[in-house]
Amino acid sequence: MCGILGGLNADIDDDRLAQLRHRGPDQSGFARFDVPPHGTVTLGQTRLNIVDRHDIDLPVRLRDAAIVFNGQVYNHPELRTELEGMGWEFATQTDMEVVLASYLQWGPECLHRFNGMFAFAVWDGRRFFCARDRMGQKPFFYRCGRGSFEFASEIKAFSNLEFITNESFELFEFCFNEHTLYRNVLSLRPGHYLLFDVERGACRTHAYWDIEQQIGEPVCDEGKAVDQFIELLKDAIRLRMRADVPITLFLAGGLDSSLIAKLSGVERAFTCQFDEFRDTINEEVYVADLVERLGMEAHFVRPTREQFLRDLRTMSYHLEMPTGSFSVFPLFRLAKAAHESGYKVVLSGEGSDELFAGYARNELLLDEGGSGNGDLRRRHYASMLSRYHGSDLDRFCRMASRSGLVGGGLMKMCLSDLWSARRTMLENVSYIESRIFLQPLLQMADRMCMAHSVENRCPFLDHRIVEFAFSLDDSLRFRDGTGKWIVHRAAEKILPRGSLVLRRPVKDGLPTPINLWMHGAHSFDRKHWNALMTAECIRSLLGRREFDSAPRSASLDELIPNHLPTPTNPVPMLWSAAR
């Protein structure tokens, strides 16, 4: 895991590279290349040593090309062997060299050979080739200007930032695809690569992967499907256990992380348990039962209100853009605990709910099977009821909207191009969840883990599992009113018999009592939370000189009243906080 930045005629120096030191505290390096008459190309990288822990020359070079790389290509040993058979020689054991050689050997087609999470830029003497992994686990931001091109792992590495907002952020409460909250700064979409031609001064992006491009024959046999899923998950975990450092796990009391715990064999895991939720959402009882059966050790992290107030400023600095979720805080504390225990790599279960229809918010939509097709009475009035229910897309957008029916209508305008009549309702829901609503969760996981120099690896997001999920017959993902059917069947085969997690009726996500701490009530409009986080993100980035000079442990009690909604001030004033 690393932080990268660079470009043509980009304003890059040691101070800007230092903005990414948390992503790679072990090593850093710069290189500059004169490109007359167009100017100067600069490449910079910070490095977190996980594979080949020796210091190496940065950026990595082969022939006349150089690369800066963030992430991990898990199948790099196999690719190295293949490339060595073609005459390539390597000076390090890193995947960075393998990725560069792969590009020089196969061009953009090399991306189809990679199994991993990555964002990188190659300078080959004529152009930049930049790419981002299929699901968007690793970030890549860029900015094009007249005679200039800049890129970086995080927005804070850019100079002269100007805050803007956009309609999609106001609607979804997070940024996705190319959108950001900073003028002219774009995000490279997941599954895309970018070409910047220095001679032409042109920047173009291309999609190299999408879920539907890979789907073959549908899988309908239950027994074969469960066995195939187990084998794919085993291999995805095996690849993600490749590291020259110890690996741990974020273990919740649900099936996804429990499966990873069993198949990975990690010795220690970290679990979040809020004392405020012990009587309602008790992860500890399920985790304690599982780790005893597996012979593991669990470290329970118990975040507090005082820690939240102290951490808010730092979390916002690293998050950069709100994600509409309270889960940033428990993730931040989990990663901090893992780092303080000496870990650089953690496994987690992101992606399973999106791929296998696991969210409760979609169960009603999927269980209805359309509009008005239930009992005789509903069939008789199907035509009339269809006007009430609306199309499948209408119903999904109403359920997903946090702004009521008006928001649902606006959301439909944004998502209509992604919704296809060729797919079933379940296929469309899983596709939108995986391609859009997963993005802020991956942003949150990356930033909160990298804030503590911890690499987060997600076995369920192995592209082979993603493609397999979308090849399944609907009944293998959703059955009898409940999602993740195939995950449940796999857990019954793999986890120790009698494990409490196998009988858990409902698994919550990663809830946080921030609403109780800050508003004194269980109900709290999430837009107020996003307003608070937007204000903090703007202040921490646009005023980062003040942030860098302020003590990290300073209490925010004196700042909170300026942000909190009140009966007379329901929406906090952002700019007063961003001053």
Side-chain angles (χ1 to χ4, degrees):
M1 190 69 66
C2 305
I4 64 173
L5 79 169
L8 173 70
N9 299 328
D11 180 19
I12 296 174
D13 55 24
D14 289 336
D15 289 340
R16 290 184 61 188
L17 188 61
Q19 300 290 336
L20 303 177
R21 193 63 48 80
H22 55 281
R23 298 189 71 91
D26 296 325
Q27 191 186 353
S28 63
F30 261 122
R32 289 185 171 86
F33 309 88
D34 290 330
V35 189
H38 306 291
T40 302
V41 164
T42 306
L43 296 175
Q45 177 170 340
T46 64
R47 181 172 177 238
L48 181 66
N49 297 350
I50 290 174
V51 174
D52 191 345
R53 303 195 64 196
H54 302 92
D55 283 354
I56 61 175
D57 291 333
L58 291 176
V60 167
R61 307 187 197 194
L62 285 174
R63 297 179 179 173
D64 295 327
I67 186 173
V68 286
F69 180 87
N70 171 31
Q72 192 72 39
V73 170
Y74 305 115
N75 62 331
H76 70 94
E78 292 80 4
L79 290 171
R80 177 187 299 271
T81 299
E82 183 178 0
L83 288 163
E84 286 175 337
M86 297 176 174
W88 287 90
E89 296 180 354
F90 299 95
T92 75
Q93 294 299 311
T94 66
D95 54 341
M96 283 187 280
E97 251 190 320
V98 173
V99 170
L100 180 54
S102 297
Y103 170 70
L104 296 175
Q105 179 67 42
W106 296 301
E109 289 299 310
C110 69
L111 298 170
H112 297 287
R113 297 172 177 263
F114 299 156
N115 186 326
M117 55 177 186
F118 52 81
F120 65 85
V122 172
W123 168 248
D124 64 9
R126 299 180 301 107
R127 67 180 185 179
F128 280 100
F129 174 76
C130 311
R132 194 175 178 201
D133 65 77
R134 296 170 178 87
M135 300 303 290
Q137 296 177 73
K138 294 294 103 187
F140 188 97
F141 298 99
Y142 66 98
R143 181 167 63 184
C144 295
R146 288 188 176 183
S148 68
F149 168 66
E150 300 173 87
F151 65 85
S153 295
E154 297 184 9
I155 294 172
K156 61 178 62 66
F158 291 95
S159 60
N160 301 317
L161 289 172
E162 181 182 350
F163 171 78
I164 60 170
T165 188
N166 57 67
E167 291 182 356
S168 64
F169 174 74
E170 296 294 336
L171 179 62
F172 287 84
E173 301 182 4
F174 59 83
C175 292
F176 60 93
N177 289 344
E178 70 272 19
H179 305 293
T180 76
L181 295 181
Y182 299 91
R183 188 177 303 280
N184 298 327
V185 177
L186 301 175
S187 173
L188 183 59
R189 288 189 176 202
H192 281 63
Y193 68 84
L194 176 154
L195 295 171
F196 180 78
D197 188 299
V198 172
E199 189 71 33
R200 298 178 180 177
C203 183
R204 295 176 292 124
T205 63
H206 305 263
Y208 70 87
W209 182 88
D210 193 11
I211 294 169
E212 293 191 318
Q213 297 171 352
Q214 315 301 324
I215 297 175
E217 291 297 316
V219 177
C220 300
D221 185 281
E222 295 180 3
K224 291 181 180 179
V226 173
D227 290 341
Q228 187 177 352
F229 170 64
I230 291 172
E231 290 306 310
L232 284 172
L233 185 58
K234 283 181 178 178
D235 197 58
I237 293 170
R238 177 186 67 84
L239 291 178
R240 283 154 184 78
M241 291 296 291
R242 288 178 166 175
D244 296 333
V245 295
I247 297 178
T248 187
L249 166 70
F250 289 161
L251 179 60
L255 295 180
D256 305 327
S257 58
S258 296
L259 282 168
I260 297 172
K262 170 64 177 177
L263 295 176
S264 66
V266 297
E267 297 179 354
R268 194 180 190 200
F270 292 81
T271 298
C272 180
Q273 177 63 63
F274 287 96
D275 288 338
E276 290 84 350
F277 291 155
R278 290 182 68 88
D279 295 332
T280 55
I281 308 172
N282 194 327
E283 305 292 343
E284 188 169 352
V285 63
Y286 296 98
V287 169
D289 172 76
L290 184 71
V291 298
E292 182 178 0
R293 295 174 187 273
L294 297 181
M296 297 171 55
E297 177 187 353
H299 177 94
F300 291 98
V301 178
R302 306 181 191 280
T304 66
R305 178 184 184 275
E306 291 69 31
Q307 290 172 339
F308 169 74
L309 295 177
R310 188 169 61 247
D311 293 342
L312 177 60
R313 197 178 188 189
T314 303
M315 288 190 298
S316 303
Y317 174 75
H318 289 287
L319 191 63
E320 299 184 323
M321 297 181 292
T323 58
S325 172
F326 294 140
S327 299
V328 290
F329 178 52
L331 277 171
F332 184 85
R333 300 304 301 187
L334 283 167
K336 178 178 174 63
H339 170 78
E340 290 176 347
S341 296
Y343 290 99
K344 289 186 174 183
V345 178
V346 61
L347 304 178
S348 65
E350 280 92 351
S352 177
D353 286 312
E354 289 78 8
L355 296 174
F356 297 104
Y359 285 121
R361 65 173 177 257
N362 294 324
E363 287 184 357
L364 176 62
L365 302 177
L366 299 174
D367 204 27
E368 286 181 349
S371 49
N373 294 321
D375 58 21
L376 178 63
R377 188 174 185 179
R378 290 169 62 191
R379 289 197 300 271
H380 184 74
Y381 291 102
S383 177
M384 181 182 70
L385 289 175
S386 67
R387 296 197 300 271
Y388 171 75
H389 286 294
S391 68
D392 287 348
L393 176 57
D394 286 321
R395 293 160 58 235
F396 172 79
C397 290
R398 291 170 192 161
M399 186 67 74
S401 170
R402 294 172 180 170
S403 304
L405 294 177
V406 174
L410 296 172
M411 188 171 288
K412 180 182 178 180
M413 296 173 61
C414 293
L415 299 180
S416 58
D417 289 343
L418 297 174
W419 196 275
S420 172
R422 294 181 290 104
R423 306 191 200 105
T424 66
M425 175 68 159
L426 184 147
E427 290 168 341
N428 272 310
V429 168
S430 291
Y431 184 81
I432 299 293
E433 294 279 9
S434 301
R435 300 309 277 159
I436 301 297
F437 288 89
L438 181 61
Q439 290 189 41
L441 305 185
L442 297 180
Q443 172 199 342
M444 186 167 55
D446 173 81
R447 303 307 193 282
M448 295 302 96
C449 286
M450 290 314 302
H452 300 287
S453 307
V454 173
E455 177 176 291
N456 180 37
R457 298 179 174 183
C458 308
F460 283 99
L461 295 182
D462 186 302
H463 70 277
R464 298 169 301 169
I465 293 180
V466 175
E467 293 161 9
F468 170 76
F470 281 85
S471 72
L472 293 173
D473 183 82
D474 283 2
S475 65
L476 301 181
R477 288 198 270 183
F478 186 89
R479 187 179 297 186
D480 299 328
T482 304
K484 296 170 72 171
W485 182 89
I486 195 170
V487 179
H488 282 269
R489 301 294 82 76
E492 289 170 356
K493 296 186 71 170
I494 291 174
L495 297 181
R497 184 173 299 178
S499 298
L500 293 181
V501 68
L502 293 173
R503 305 194 301 273
R504 187 171 189 176
V506 177
K507 171 65 178 78
D508 293 274
L510 195 55
T512 306
I514 290 175
N515 50 353
L516 291 174
W517 295 341
M518 300 180 62
H519 201 55
H522 288 281
S523 61
F524 184 65
D525 191 330
R526 298 171 72 103
K527 286 188 175 297
H528 298 329
W529 167 246
N530 246 30
L532 168 62
M533 291 304 293
T534 301
E536 287 297 330
C537 288
I538 296 169
R539 178 168 58 182
S540 64
L541 262 66
L542 300 190
R544 59 181 178 263
R545 288 183 180 177
E546 290 78 5
F547 176 87
D548 291 339
S549 62
R552 290 292 191 273
S553 60
S555 172
L556 291 177
D557 280 311
E558 71 276 14
L559 301 176
I560 296 302
N562 295 328
H563 304 308
L564 277 178
T566 68
T568 58
N569 181 27
V571 179
M573 296 298 294
L574 303 187
W575 289 107
S576 66
R579 60 188 183 274

